[in-house]
Amino acid sequence: MPANVTGTTLRSMTHIPPPAEELRLLDTELRQLDARRALLLARRAWLVAALQPPPAPQAPRAPQAAAARRPETTAPGVQNVLLLLGGILLTVAAVAFTVVSWGHLGIAGRALVLGAVTLAALGAPVPLLRRGLRSTAESVAGLGLALTVLDAYALHEVALPDTDGLGYAALASAVLATVWAAYGLALGALHRPAGQPADTTGAGQQPATAGVRLPLRLPLPTAVATAQLPLLLWAAAAGAGAHALTAALLVTAAFDTLVALRVPVKSVRVVAAVGAYGMGGWGTLAAGWLSWTASGPSAAARAAALLLLAAATAFAAAWHAPKPGVATGTALAGGLITVVGLGGVLRSSLPDDWTVPGYLACGVALLALVRTRLAEPLRRGLAWASGCVQAVAVVWALPLVGITLLGPVGWAERAWSGSPATARDAVTLDVPWPAHAATAPLVLALVAGVLVAVRASEWRQQALTCALTLSWATVLVLPAALELPYAVGLLTQGLTTVAALACARPTQPQTPPLLLALLSSLGLAFLSLASEGATLTVLASLTVLFAAAARRPGLGPAAAPAALVYATALACAIGASFGWQPQQTALLVLVVPVGAALLAARLGGSSMTVPVEVTGVAAALPAIALTVTDPPMLALVLSLCGVIAAGTAIREDRRSVGYAAAALFVLATWVRLAAWNVGSPEAYTLPVTLPALLVGALRRRKDMAVPSWAAYGPGLSVTLVPSLFTAWGDTHWLRPLLLGAAALLVVLVGARHRLQAPLVVGGTVLFLDALHELAPYLVQVVDALPRWVPPALAGLLLLALGATYEQRMRDARRVREVLGRMN
């Protein structure tokens, strides 16, 4: 058997080449087959193309439709522009003729020219409409309407030159509005399509012929727009006062409202609605200003009559409004206008203190109409109007609540300076009491009573919450508003706090009652700072009150921290009462963090635990702040805080507090050393290094995977690094010697246990310490060397770096060549 044949080949089998040679042969054959297949596919494609019949000749294609020229505007648009411009030019020509060329004709000629042109312009739309030329008829009718205005002007200039201009304008506008309306209606009657019914609109219904279209759209809307002027011009011509002018505006608005509700033509309704809102709004604002500035009941009554006219118009529009939303909004406006009118009468008849209660009473009286059989949109609008009045009244009283709550903060700078005479004096230290605010409690109480009467299930809970808040504000403001004695104010605010806590129920949301209790208690605490006895009594009472409230379910997370805060304030007040120094008072304040830690340990996993612990930490901060000026006492307080933290860390779920305890102990040690004027850094760093190394050793014993840098790196660095910096500035030999010995010991320990952190940190410190000690001798050696030695050493270093770089590049080229040969 040949040597290149495998042992499993039989003698009768054909000889085959080795696998590598056979693979090469197969690849060659496949490449040849691919080349042959590509050639055959190209030949086939040529044959298919040669066998297809030639395409039939096609006519040249027309330009694409997109490329065709398209008109830039529509035919109706061109028509409207031409007609509009024609009408404008004819109107301008008529004006020019009337103003400029009028004097060249006699009276008969003038009358004949204007009359003939006007009649022709007004009559021309009739045959034009019959021929279907509606747009042209519209333009000619517009010219005719303009000519009627010129006729009125010409009549004044020729026949009535001495007539008052305003009076004639009022009469002319009324006549023109009537003529134009009659002209439009006459054209509509002549050209009404067959079968179109007349107006059958009923009260409270949408016009049945709302979609009707008159032959000409211009005359009737123009007549309605002109109808806005007669009454106002007549009042101005007669020299009427503000009340008459306002009445003219409101009567015009009432007429517009009637037209907008009754006329079936949409364009007329739109113009009338714009006029109703514009003239009505203008007249209502004017009447409101007259009511507010009325100097007596008579003037206020006349302004109220105007406002009631505006309100009646609004209610009529709401009654007949086709959409519920429009009806509600209009009824809301009518209700507010009624309140302004009636409230103005009360304001002029009562003292200034009763202005807001008078308006509020009128607003509450609107609720009597809500329970009537009015339509639902109207009742909803009246209810919203009443709510708006009540909201404004409450906003007016809110500044008094703010003064009552925040005003006593000024006693923090005047603590125990003496009790004021009244509750108002106690809350107005830095801000004045607003004028005419004696009735604020009445306003708040009245709104609260209205909210209690709310019966709607979807608003019941929110109304009761708001009523509770307003009742709380009423009681809070009452002593200051009535100028009751200071003691009565304290007692009232304390009872308010108790009542707010009593209103809290575990089954209901606790935020409003608890928030009210906390706010009133905070204001009470500041208010009590006026006298020493009041401060001690109030703080003790608040501490006991909130501690008792914390035992109720659901109140603990807020009540317990409040009790601790007031206990802290009580401890400070007791220390000040006994005349203790601040650092002595700090020891009494530390009782609160101790109690908080003990309470938290007892609570376990309760929802009160975290708030109590956070409040305890916050209570320790005043104790630390009180001892800042006395370092020995500060060190004692810090160590006691460390003891509290260490006691907390005993709990299984609070192990991490141990780090805070260690930090507090270290801080206490540093403060004590600073008080002893100790300047050696090792005294400050060793108390940190030793516990850190101990903790690191314990971690390594429990888990050998902990690296030495995490276990020993921080502890070693805390002492060795500051000592190294200090040794570099020390001129004596003892500190460097001891530092070198310590670093050597660290290196030996690291070598013994094969730990990287001790080896690196200790070795680095040892090297730098030795370098510091040998520095003088190195300087002498450098001075003794020739000047050519440093450049020579630098050159050798650069040559060595260059040779190394070249060798690495050569190795990289060899690797690249080997990889290339492999491919």
Side-chain angles (χ1 to χ4, degrees):
M1 181 180 295
N4 57 355
V5 180
T6 59
T8 57
T9 303
L10 300 178
R11 297 181 182 274
S12 60
M13 292 180 63
T14 305
H15 167 71
I16 59 176
E21 183 64 19
E22 185 179 2
L23 180 60
R24 184 183 65 79
L25 294 174
L26 291 176
D27 290 339
T28 303
E29 292 291 338
L30 289 174
R31 283 194 296 270
Q32 293 176 356
L33 289 175
D34 290 339
R36 182 62 177 170
R37 185 174 184 275
L39 180 62
L40 294 176
L41 288 175
R43 181 63 179 175
R44 180 182 182 279
W46 182 86
L47 293 174
V48 171
L51 292 176
Q52 289 182 354
Q58 296 182 358
R61 298 181 62 184
Q64 295 183 359
R69 292 187 177 182
R70 299 180 60 184
E72 296 181 356
T73 182
T74 60
V78 175
Q79 164 195 298
N80 293 334
V81 170
L82 294 177
L83 293 175
L84 178 62
L85 289 176
I88 292 175
L89 292 176
L90 287 176
T91 303
V92 171
V95 172
F97 169 77
T98 305
V99 176
V100 177
S101 302
W102 183 256
H104 299 289
L105 299 175
I107 296 178
R110 301 169 188 175
L112 289 175
V113 170
L114 276 180
V117 173
T118 303
L119 291 176
L122 294 176
V126 176
L128 291 175
L129 288 173
R130 290 176 179 175
R131 294 178 177 271
L133 302 177
R134 181 174 179 179
S135 298
T136 305
E138 198 83 52
S139 299
V140 176
L143 176 61
L145 298 180
L147 288 175
T148 56
V149 178
L150 295 177
D151 290 338
Y153 168 75
L155 179 62
H156 178 268
E157 291 295 323
V158 174
L160 305 170
D162 298 329
T163 307
D164 178 53
L166 284 177
Y168 180 79
L171 178 61
S173 60
V175 173
L176 288 175
T178 304
V179 170
W180 292 348
Y183 177 67
L185 293 175
L187 288 178
L190 290 175
H191 297 278
R192 179 182 294 125
Q196 178 176 303
D199 180 23
T200 58
T201 307
Q205 299 176 356
Q206 189 174 359
T209 58
V212 68
R213 295 179 61 186
L214 293 176
L216 297 182
R217 292 171 292 183
L218 188 60
L220 288 181
T222 306
V224 174
T226 308
Q228 312 299 312
L229 301 177
L231 288 179
L232 187 60
L233 292 177
W234 270 329
H243 289 79
L245 289 173
T246 305
L249 291 172
L250 294 175
V251 171
T252 304
F255 167 75
D256 291 334
T257 303
L258 178 63
V259 172
L261 293 174
R262 301 295 298 174
V263 174
V265 182
K266 182 178 181 180
S267 59
V268 176
R269 293 204 312 272
V270 171
V271 175
V274 173
Y277 282 112
M279 304 295 279
W282 186 7
T284 301
L285 291 177
W289 177 253
L290 292 175
S291 176
W292 182 255
T293 57
S295 58
S298 176
R302 286 184 292 165
L306 296 175
L307 289 169
L308 290 178
L309 173 61
T313 304
F315 286 132
W319 181 268
H320 296 281
K323 296 181 179 181
V326 176
T328 299
T330 311
L332 168 62
L336 292 177
I337 295 171
T338 303
V339 170
V340 172
L342 298 180
V345 175
L346 294 178
R347 181 192 62 81
S348 62
S349 305
L350 298 174
D352 292 338
D353 290 344
W354 292 89
T355 298
V356 176
Y359 282 104
L360 179 60
C362 296
V364 174
L366 289 179
L367 295 176
L369 300 175
V370 177
R371 299 185 180 276
T372 61
R373 295 183 178 181
L374 293 174
E376 176 63 24
L378 273 70
R379 290 190 284 115
R380 188 183 303 112
L382 291 173
W384 278 105
S386 177
C388 291
V389 175
Q390 296 177 53
V392 172
V394 171
V395 170
W396 170 79
L398 283 182
L400 304 180
V401 181
I403 291 174
T404 305
L405 281 177
L406 302 179
V409 176
W411 286 108
E413 298 178 355
R414 307 176 181 87
W416 299 356
S417 59
S419 300
T422 64
R424 181 178 296 185
D425 296 333
V427 300
T428 55
L429 291 175
D430 301 320
V431 291
W433 187 260
H436 311 304
T439 55
L442 177 62
V443 170
L444 296 172
L446 183 58
V447 177
V450 172
L451 290 173
V452 170
V454 173
R455 300 301 180 193
S457 58
E458 63 273 16
W459 296 100
R460 179 66 176 171
Q461 186 61 43
Q462 293 85 341
L464 291 178
T465 301
C466 294
L468 174 64
T469 304
L470 293 178
S471 301
W472 167 82
T474 302
V475 179
L476 194 70
V477 174
L478 188 61
L482 299 180
E483 294 188 88
L484 299 177
Y486 169 69
V488 176
L490 284 176
L491 181 61
T492 303
Q493 203 154 344
L495 293 176
T496 304
T497 305
V498 175
L501 285 175
C503 290
R505 295 289 183 271
T507 58
Q508 297 177 356
Q510 300 303 310
T511 301
L514 275 181
L515 181 60
L516 298 179
L518 292 173
L519 288 176
S520 57
S521 66
L522 189 61
L524 177 61
F526 281 108
L527 193 63
S528 67
L529 294 177
S531 66
E532 179 180 349
T535 301
L536 296 175
T537 303
V538 167
L539 291 178
S541 301
L542 291 177
T543 302
V544 175
L545 176 63
F546 281 98
R551 300 177 63 88
R552 296 178 58 188
L555 302 184
L564 294 175
V565 170
Y566 289 123
T568 305
L570 178 61
C572 296
I574 291 174
S577 178
F578 283 108
W580 292 350
Q581 295 296 323
Q583 57 271 21
Q584 296 173 335
T585 305
L587 297 177
L588 181 61
V589 173
L590 282 180
V591 175
V592 177
V594 172
L598 295 176
L599 179 60
R602 184 177 179 181
L603 292 174
S606 173
S607 59
M608 296 170 54
T609 304
V610 175
V612 167
E613 290 176 341
V614 172
T615 309
V617 173
L621 298 179
I624 297 174
L626 290 172
T627 58
V628 171
T629 57
D630 189 353
M633 187 61 70
L634 177 59
L636 177 59
V637 170
L638 288 173
S639 61
L640 291 176
C641 291
V643 171
I644 298 172
T648 303
I650 296 175
R651 294 162 50 191
E652 186 67 29
D653 56 340
R654 293 292 185 269
R655 297 298 189 189
S656 58
V657 184
Y659 296 105
L664 289 171
F665 285 129
V666 170
L667 288 176
T669 304
W670 287 356
V671 172
R672 173 55 66 180
L673 292 174
W676 287 339
N677 296 323
V678 177
S680 178
E682 290 79 10
Y684 294 90
T685 57
L686 284 176
V688 180
T689 296
L690 296 178
L693 293 177
L694 180 60
V695 172
L698 294 176
R699 289 185 62 189
R700 290 271 299 177
R701 177 174 296 181
K702 291 182 178 180
D703 186 7
M704 295 302 297
V706 176
S708 61
W709 284 105
Y712 306 115
L716 294 174
S717 301
V718 166
T719 295
L720 293 179
V721 174
S723 298
L724 178 63
F725 282 106
T726 305
W728 272 68
D730 195 347
T731 57
H732 299 84
W733 60 272
L734 181 58
R735 182 185 298 276
L737 178 61
L738 294 176
L739 178 60
L744 178 60
L745 178 61
V746 170
V747 170
L748 294 176
V749 172
R752 171 67 179 80
H753 297 281
R754 297 181 180 179
L755 299 176
Q756 188 179 36
L759 283 172
V760 174
V761 175
T764 303
V765 172
L766 181 61
F767 169 74
L768 294 176
D769 184 63
L771 183 62
H772 171 263
E773 294 301 311
L774 295 176
Y777 303 103
L778 294 176
V779 172
Q780 294 178 3
V781 172
V782 171
D783 291 339
L785 290 175
R787 294 185 179 274
W788 57 267
V789 173
L793 294 176
L796 291 174
L797 177 61
L798 293 176
L799 287 176
L801 291 176
T804 304
Y805 184 73
E806 182 181 8
Q807 183 179 0
R808 291 182 177 178
M809 292 182 61
R810 184 186 60 190
D811 295 341
R813 281 196 301 269
R814 289 179 178 178
V815 171
R816 186 168 61 251
E817 292 174 358
V818 171
L819 292 176
R821 287 196 300 270
M822 291 177 64
N823 290 333

